[in-house]
Amino acid sequence: MSTPFRINCLVPDLPAPQEVLPFLQEMHENRWYSNFGPLVKRFEAELTAFLERENGAEGCHVATFSSATTALELALKAMNLPAGSNVLVPAITFPATALVVINAGLTPVLADVDRETWELSPAIANAALAQDDYAAVIPVAAFGRPVESVVWSAFQKETGVPVILDVAAALGQQDIHKDLTYCFSLHATKPFGVGEGGLLVSGDEALITLSRSLSNFGFQGSAGVVQQTGTNAKFAEYFAAVGLVQTARWKEVSGRRQAVLDQYLEGLKKVGNTVTLQQGTGDFIPAVFPVYVPGKAEALVARMNQASIQTRRWYLPPLYDHPALAHLPYADKETDTPFPASEELRNGLVGLPFHAFLSNEDIEEICDLVAEVAA
Ligand SMILES: Cc1ncc(COP(=O)(O)O)c(C=O)c1O
């Protein structure tokens, strides 16, 4: 990825072509390039075993899609929620979280996020449910911070409102509960990237089967008839080839990311408590690395630019400030300031470079500049 910066913010850690070649050769010999081919099936089986081994996904079913966006949209369609009904989403997220709700014929309702986790919390969702009816809730693993499956599972049980988790960036980090439905991204910018792709993981086999059929136009059974209108959102053999290598490389990839995180946690000690990390950072490896420097986001971005270090304002502006989403309803209807935490975060969150190719000197330099601006 070529940018004008000396230190880039995000550099994908994907397999080299020669590692993928044997799988591409196999694909070519098969003469099978899409439509649930042998490599896709093998990749899904390996992911199922991986998620069972690493993240407790016993009894879950896994399906691949062309992206997390299509996966989430088709899962919502497969849930057959009443047309136009409310779906709660956080205001601080990647826009796809709300776009899929609109594309599924439902209404995204925007909620604030928790000040410490920077995520939609069950407490915020419960407050929203006290004011209005919701057909579903979509908590987000913000910046790759895994969501708390146990508490969301309890929320779903207590309220009867289905929870579908947009955990796009948290594959490998996210623990899985079979009562919930998870959507992961395999986009090149994600820690477990293959290029383009998405995954649904759920204990609900019927939901996975229907979502998969909707990714293939809605064809069901061997007769090839459309039972419910779908689209084309299938995962291709080419990406499955990369995925099979990436699954085998995962320990290496996450080891490199852990080393970068450890170096940051050490370097940021000098910054003191003027800079805050997302709650729990260190217990998990984030996908990107936003730091919260209250009121000083712009100053930090400018200082980094000056030093030719790229930063990104991930998930900003909040969804309510995107022109195409500004009309969306808010969850908290009882106040004139429905997004106090999101408003604070927008003035303080800056994504620092975070990838496997940073040197210790790069990280030290970045931490020094953060300390200088935050002081
Ligand atoms: C929270 C979240 N949801 C959804 C997506 C969309 O993923 P994809 O690019 O695989 O469609 C992203 C991608 O960055 C994301 O961060």
Side-chain angles (χ1 to χ4, degrees):
M1 208 179 289
S2 154
T3 74
F5 294 95
R6 187 168 51 86
I7 301 178
N8 290 313
C9 198
L10 196 159
V11 180
D13 188 350
L14 263 71
Q18 62 271 21
E19 295 176 89
V20 187
L21 197 57
F23 292 99
L24 293 180
Q25 263 157 352
E26 188 181 327
M27 174 186 79
H28 195 57
E29 274 155 33
N30 291 334
R31 293 286 197 275
W32 195 340
Y33 302 95
S34 187
N35 290 52
F36 315 113
L39 296 185
V40 164
K41 287 207 180 91
R42 202 188 316 161
F43 181 48
E44 288 182 353
E46 288 202 6
L47 280 170
T48 306
F50 170 89
L51 291 168
E52 273 182 19
R53 196 172 61 239
E54 304 284 329
N55 306 116
E58 283 81 22
C60 283
H61 304 269
V62 174
T64 47
F65 297 83
S66 55
S67 68
T69 305
T70 54
L72 208 46
E73 184 178 322
L74 295 180
L76 284 169
K77 284 190 176 154
M79 286 161 77
N80 285 315
L81 305 172
S85 55
N86 289 338
V87 176
L88 192 68
V89 301
I92 300 266
T93 181
F94 187 71
T97 314
L99 299 179
V100 297
V101 177
I102 297 169
N103 293 344
L106 306 162
T107 308
V109 181
L110 307 181
D112 203 13
V113 293
D114 178 82
R115 272 199 170 74
E116 313 297 327
T117 64
W118 312 342
E119 292 179 350
L120 175 65
S121 65
I124 294 170
N126 271 315
L129 262 59
Q131 292 188 32
D132 211 339
D133 291 336
Y134 286 86
V137 176
I138 310 185
V140 173
F143 314 111
R145 177 191 189 274
V147 296
E148 280 93 16
S149 288
V150 174
V151 291
W152 282 111
S153 172
F155 171 92
Q156 181 176 256
K157 209 170 275 164
E158 279 157 23
T159 62
V161 177
V163 174
I164 171 158
L165 300 142
D166 178 353
V167 287
L171 184 56
Q173 300 280 318
Q174 177 64 56
D175 67 304
I176 310 264
H177 246 241
K178 71 175 172 43
D179 338 342
L180 296 168
T181 298
Y182 301 80
C183 177
F184 295 99
S185 172
L186 301 169
H187 189 262
T189 54
K190 300 292 177 280
F192 199 124
V194 308
E196 286 280 7
L199 288 185
L200 285 179
V201 180
S202 178
D204 185 343
E205 189 174 6
L207 180 76
I208 293 289
T209 305
L210 181 52
S211 306
R212 193 198 295 278
S213 123
L214 295 178
S215 79
N216 190 28
F217 309 99
F219 288 133
Q220 276 179 38
S222 53
V225 291
V226 173
Q227 296 285 359
Q228 185 173 336
T229 54
T231 186
N232 182 1
K234 299 188 292 292
F235 187 62
E237 291 285 277
Y238 286 92
F239 288 125
V242 182
L244 285 163
V245 184
Q246 200 63 325
T247 313
R249 289 171 86 238
W250 177 246
K251 275 217 153 41
E252 233 184 90
V253 169
S254 57
R256 283 193 280 273
R257 298 179 65 80
Q258 180 73 59
V260 168
L261 177 62
D262 291 346
Q263 185 73 20
Y264 258 120
L265 295 179
E266 190 54 40
L268 287 172
K269 279 185 185 156
K270 70 183 103 178
V271 173
N273 54 12
T274 46
V275 175
T276 314
L277 300 181
Q278 194 176 18
Q279 191 180 75
T281 303
D283 298 337
F284 65 92
I285 311 170
V288 290
F289 196 57
V291 293
Y292 178 55
V293 196
K296 291 190 171 170
E298 281 180 15
L300 182 55
V301 170
R303 185 66 189 92
M304 291 288 180
N305 271 339
Q306 206 179 32
S308 192
I309 300 172
Q310 187 184 26
T311 53
R312 294 288 299 274
R313 310 278 330 267
W314 310 110
Y315 297 174
L316 292 171
L319 295 188
Y320 48 82
D321 270 354
H322 288 264
L325 304 175
H327 66 285
L328 294 178
Y330 302 165
D332 192 347
K333 298 168 177 59
E334 290 171 357
T335 163
D336 295 335
T337 53
F339 302 106
S342 303
E343 284 298 293
E344 280 174 23
L345 291 171
R346 81 183 302 163
N347 295 319
L349 282 185
V350 177
L352 300 180
F354 193 75
H355 56 80
F357 308 100
L358 292 169
S359 68
N360 289 352
E361 293 72 36
D362 292 338
I363 296 171
E364 217 163 290
E365 181 184 351
I366 294 163
C367 292
D368 285 343
L369 292 180
V370 174
E372 180 192 311
V373 174

